[in-house]
Amino acid sequence: MTNPHHDQSPAPGQLMRLSLVVGNSTTARHIAEHLTDDDSQPALATSLFEEDGGRQWRIDAYYAEPLAATVLMAAVAGHDIRSGPVLEPVPDENWVAVSQAALPPVSAGRFLIHGSHDRVKVGRRQWALQIDAGEAFGTAHHATTEGCLETLDRLARISQPSRILDLGCGSGVLAIAATRLWPHATVCASDIDPVAIDVARANAALNRAADRIRMVTAIGLDHAVLRRQAPYDLIVANILAGPLIRMAPSISASTRPGGVVILSGILTPQAREVLATYRSAGFRCRLRRTISGWTTLLLQRDTKPAIIRT
């Protein structure tokens, strides 16, 4: 494995793009997730491009500074790299939107998640969702979003929640999916980032769900609208393990007895601590799903939360 070739010397503060080509989508997604999740130098954004009729895939990863060779070598070790890697500066532009502009459609449960660039190819299907994440998280290309969508799909076959909250909604994909699965439910969505709420509103409009979702900018569950709608039959929180642990008491208080929560954004080694915290808060684990090192949990609040069952 050689060091990445630098086409040009970057200017101070210049955004850098790493590009390499592999032979299949599975390898491409594995490398992209590794680059995104690296603790020492995570990519700011990644994108996958299908080339040559699906016979090869290009990975683009974006960095605020030159990439450490050790990070790259860890991501590509054991994989067949067909060309690259090349590291080069990119123009000053909205690089997050650009990096997502050619993401291929992704299937998760019954859902097919696609960007506006694939709208004509996908057409109008009941379970197709057009999601342009822009500067918000959530395109279903990450294992956490995929895990949540698959869990929502499974839950819809056995449960009919009437009050739903997408906590930390990002692009709004999970709230929008909930409106498809449960057309008569009341759906709320919140995020700490007002930019994410703007993106989620735009995506809801694209999917004819704007009048179905109440969206608010909020820190956790601290908002009058969210308090008025509680208790919820279903809360989905695709965030990170730390915030999920800190919010366990408020999430428990906002979930009706017998209601369920879907938690994701959890690295698999962190799942035990998250699960123990929520068991102490009165939940039992109903489903545990792991994709590419990320765990999604489906938990049910005990009807007698003072009794902790193991």
Side-chain angles (χ1 to χ4, degrees):
M1 180 71 203
T2 59
N3 289 331
H5 172 65
H6 294 255
D7 281 359
Q8 305 173 43
S9 297
Q14 176 74 62
L15 186 72
M16 303 297 295
R17 177 173 56 223
L18 172 76
S19 297
L20 63 152
V21 176
V22 299
N24 59 71
S25 61
T26 301
T27 299
R29 291 184 66 183
H30 179 87
I31 293 174
E33 289 178 2
H34 193 114
L35 293 171
T36 302
D37 301 334
D38 182 83
D39 289 334
S40 61
Q41 193 179 8
L44 298 171
T46 58
S47 59
L48 308 181
F49 298 82
E50 182 179 349
E51 297 182 338
D52 195 19
R55 286 186 283 272
Q56 63 184 27
W57 290 72
R58 188 177 88 245
I59 305 150
D60 285 349
Y62 294 82
Y63 293 88
E65 57 188 17
L67 176 64
T70 53
V71 174
L72 175 62
M73 292 178 70
V76 303
H79 296 299
D80 178 22
I81 309 302
R82 296 194 173 180
S83 68
V86 174
L87 187 65
E88 60 185 354
V90 297
D92 185 16
E93 55 188 329
N94 186 346
W95 52 267
V96 176
V98 170
S99 72
Q100 294 168 346
L103 292 173
V106 171
S107 295
R110 282 174 281 184
F111 292 105
L112 181 67
I113 313 300
H114 66 93
S116 56
H117 54 282
D118 279 320
R119 180 173 51 208
V120 174
K121 179 169 67 175
V122 171
R124 290 202 177 274
R125 308 182 193 180
Q126 181 181 3
W127 302 108
L129 302 180
Q130 179 178 325
I131 302 296
D132 292 318
E135 295 178 72
F137 175 83
T139 62
H141 289 78
H142 196 277
T144 59
T145 311
E146 180 182 352
C148 287
L149 287 167
E150 291 184 354
T151 304
L152 284 168
D153 186 32
R154 292 185 64 170
L155 182 65
R157 301 176 191 275
I158 59 172
S159 179
Q160 293 294 318
S162 60
R163 290 176 181 262
I164 301 169
L165 171 62
D166 180 2
L167 181 61
C169 64
S171 69
V173 59
L174 301 179
I176 295 166
T179 67
R180 294 284 178 92
L181 292 167
W182 297 286
H184 303 295
T186 298
V187 180
C188 291
S190 70
D191 201 283
I192 194 171
D193 183 1
V195 173
I197 291 297
D198 290 341
V199 171
R201 286 194 175 113
N203 282 324
L206 286 173
N207 290 277
R208 294 172 292 174
D211 60 346
R212 292 286 323 283
I213 306 171
R214 182 72 181 271
M215 297 187 182
V216 297
T217 302
I219 299 174
L221 289 128
D222 186 18
H223 194 286
V225 169
L226 304 184
R227 290 193 293 268
R228 283 198 301 269
Q229 293 296 324
Y232 297 94
D233 303 296
L234 167 62
I235 295 177
V236 188
N238 181 16
I239 313 175
L240 290 170
L244 288 174
I245 290 170
R246 290 193 295 272
M247 288 193 293
S250 58
I251 288 177
S252 178
S254 299
T255 306
R256 71 163 179 82
V260 296
V261 300
I262 297 172
L263 308 180
S264 197
I266 307 165
L267 288 166
T268 298
Q270 301 169 328
R272 179 179 295 182
E273 183 181 3
V274 174
L275 188 52
T277 301
Y278 278 79
R279 280 177 174 155
S280 297
F283 288 89
R284 291 171 289 167
C285 185
R286 293 303 191 188
L287 179 69
R288 179 171 176 163
R289 178 91 163 89
T290 299
I291 305 173
S292 301
W294 293 88
T295 293
T296 300
L297 300 171
L298 174 63
L299 310 176
Q300 183 173 30
R301 187 181 169 202
D302 205 304
T303 54
K304 298 179 179 179
I307 301 175
I308 308 300
R309 298 175 181 170
T310 59

